[in-house]
């Protein structure tokens, strides 16, 4: 497809992947769905072409995930697949957030084994930019620094934690959940959108952007030490620790309902080293954990082990 001689699109998607595409997916193999997305992109890059000294950008192809196909933009528009490489800041300012949300879900979240439509649907609807600091590229494939050692987790990890928290649940029987280290409340809002009764625990008031009250008013936002949990709102069917910890606090087990579970990332070593997403169930004085997937995760400062001397 060529629009005004400016944008050329080629899409090749395996049938098994195309079958999963939503009606609003910008990467869908159906031309009628691709067209509005491309028109929006063409309008967005028009000022860039006007300001570029040569009037055109070099032809660039970034074929990530080659077996699943590629969307290619030519001429004055950058070529990219999922990542807005090289012009990420410009695109974040000019592409409508609704398009960015669809790109995030289809390129970052769903290819990472997130299949629960309650999660992907919520992430398409909720304005992630409202939960991020002003000026941040809310839809990039990266953790967003918030200050004080805190981060808004990258979309893939947020989605995996949310999907795991919803595992085995049904929309007609919402869970009662506690999100520990909720920050501005993005993950809590996703769970609430999925029909969960959520308590969002955070001890740093400055992390509140006001987005949770606007976009998920049913969430009960509370303040207190993260490591202590929030027993007043329990018992909970699931507790999600939104960040990496070196160990799951034993105190949280008493706040779980019978059969309740903890969802978090257990960090192996280092500040930002490889960890593993786990589903933990209380057993005796500890937890039995089931490894779900490896991941890179940021440690929550409130759960960092105290320095110790060894001789």
């Amino acid at each position: 497809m060529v629009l005004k001689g400016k944008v050329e699109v080629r899409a090749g998607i395996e049938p098994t992947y195309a079958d999963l595409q939503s009606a609003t997916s910008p990467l869908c193999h159906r031309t009628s769905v691709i067209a509005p997305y491309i028109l929006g992109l063409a309008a967005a890059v028009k000022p860039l072409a006007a300001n570029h000294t040569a009037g055109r950008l070099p032809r660039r192809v970034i074929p990530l995930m080659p077996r699943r196909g590629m969307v290619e933009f030519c001429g004055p528009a950058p070529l990219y697949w999922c990542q807005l490489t090289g012009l990420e800041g410009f695109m974040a300012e000019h592409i409508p957030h609704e398009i960015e949300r669809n790109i995030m879900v289809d390129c970052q979240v769903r290819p990472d084994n997130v299949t629960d439509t309650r999660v992907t649907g919520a992430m398409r609807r909720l304005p992630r930019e409202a939960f991020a600091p002003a000026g941040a590229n809310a839809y990039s494939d990266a953790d967003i620094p918030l200050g004080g050692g805190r981060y808004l987790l990258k979309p893939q990890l947020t989605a995996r934690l949310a999907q795991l928290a919803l595992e085995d649940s049904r929309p007609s029987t919402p869970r009662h959940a506690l999100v520990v280290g909720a920050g501005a409340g993005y993950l809590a809002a996703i769970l609430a959108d999925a029909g969960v009764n959520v308590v969002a625990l955070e001890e740093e008031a400055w992390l509140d952007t006001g987005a949770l009250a606007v976009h998920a008013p049913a969430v009960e936002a509370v303040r207190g030490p993260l490591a202590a949990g929030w027993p007043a709102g329990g018992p909970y069917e699931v507790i999600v620790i939104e960040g990496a910890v070196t160990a799951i606090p034993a105190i949280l087990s008493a706040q779980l309902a019978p059969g309740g579970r903890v969802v978090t990332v257990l960090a192996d070593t280092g500040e930002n080293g490889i960890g593993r997403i786990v589903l933990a169930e209380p057993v005796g004085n500890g937890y039995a954990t089931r490894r779900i997937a490896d991941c890179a995760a940021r440690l929550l400062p409130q759960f960092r082990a105290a320095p110790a001397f060894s001789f």
Side-chain angles (χ1 to χ4, degrees), residues 275-292:
R276 54 199 184 278
I277 301 172
V278 299
L279 189 64
E281 299 181 358
V283 175
N285 295 324
Y287 295 90
T289 61
R290 176 159 63 96
R291 188 189 196 115
I292 304 301

Side-chain angles (χ1 to χ4, degrees), residues 116-119 125 165-176 190-197 237:
D116 193 319
T117 56
R118 292 169 294 178
V119 175
R125 289 186 290 271
L166 292 170
E167 191 176 75
D168 298 330
S169 69
R170 299 290 181 269
S172 59
T173 56
R175 290 181 176 277
H176 184 43
I190 292 172
L191 294 179
D193 187 275
V196 181
N197 297 315
E237 292 179 83

Side-chain angles (χ1 to χ4, degrees), residues 69-104:
M70 179 177 67
V71 174
E72 178 178 326
F73 300 95
C74 304
L79 310 183
Y80 71 100
W81 166 258
C82 304
Q83 285 282 70
L84 302 173
T85 306
L87 291 168
E88 207 168 58
F90 175 85
M91 292 301 177
E93 293 178 5
H94 292 83
I95 288 185
H97 290 310
E98 181 180 1
I99 292 177
E100 288 192 292
R101 285 195 289 274
N102 283 327
I103 293 174
M104 173 188 71

Side-chain angles (χ1 to χ4, degrees), residues 66-279:
R67 292 190 66 252
R68 289 183 174 176
M70 179 177 67
V71 174
E72 178 178 326
F73 300 95
C74 304
L79 310 183
Y80 71 100
W81 166 258
C82 304
Q83 285 282 70
L84 302 173
T85 306
L87 291 168
E88 207 168 58
F90 175 85
M91 292 301 177
E93 293 178 5
H94 292 83
I95 288 185
H97 290 310
E98 181 180 1
I99 292 177
E100 288 192 292
R101 285 195 289 274
N102 283 327
I103 293 174
M104 173 188 71
V105 170
D106 288 311
C107 295
Q108 300 177 38
V109 174
R110 291 174 60 246
D112 196 31
N113 295 318
V114 177
T115 58
D116 193 319
T117 56
R118 292 169 294 178
V119 175
T120 57
M123 295 182 79
R124 291 188 195 279
R125 289 186 290 271
L126 289 168
R128 182 174 162 87
E129 71 276 4
F131 296 86
N137 186 0
Y139 297 97
S140 65
D141 181 16
D143 299 324
I144 299 176
L146 303 176
R150 299 292 298 276
Y151 292 83
L152 175 60
L153 299 180
K154 65 178 63 178
Q156 299 102 310
L157 184 51
T158 299
R160 290 296 294 266
L161 294 176
Q163 177 170 265
L164 193 55
L166 292 170
E167 191 176 75
D168 298 330
S169 69
R170 299 290 181 269
S172 59
T173 56
R175 290 181 176 277
H176 184 43
L178 171 66
V179 177
V180 176
Y186 183 60
L187 191 150
I190 292 172
L191 294 179
D193 187 275
V196 181
N197 297 315
V198 184
V199 176
L201 173 62
E202 181 51 63
E203 63 181 73
E204 304 290 357
W206 54 270
L207 290 174
D208 184 6
T209 65
L212 189 61
V214 173
H215 301 288
V219 173
E220 181 185 358
V222 297
R223 293 275 180 267
L226 302 188
W230 193 256
Y236 307 100
E237 292 179 83
V238 63
I239 296 176
V240 182
I241 303 176
E242 194 173 346
V245 297
T246 55
I248 302 173
I251 195 172
L252 295 182
S253 64
Q255 300 176 30
L256 289 169
R261 301 172 295 177
V262 177
V263 172
T264 190
V265 175
L266 281 180
D268 292 334
T269 58
E271 180 71 16
N272 303 311
I274 296 298
R276 54 199 184 278
I277 301 172
V278 299
L279 189 64

Side-chain angles (χ1 to χ4, degrees), residues 7 37-48 90 94:
V7 181
Y37 165 69
I38 299 306
L39 288 170
L41 180 62
V45 300
K46 187 176 181 181
L48 181 63
F90 175 85
H94 292 83

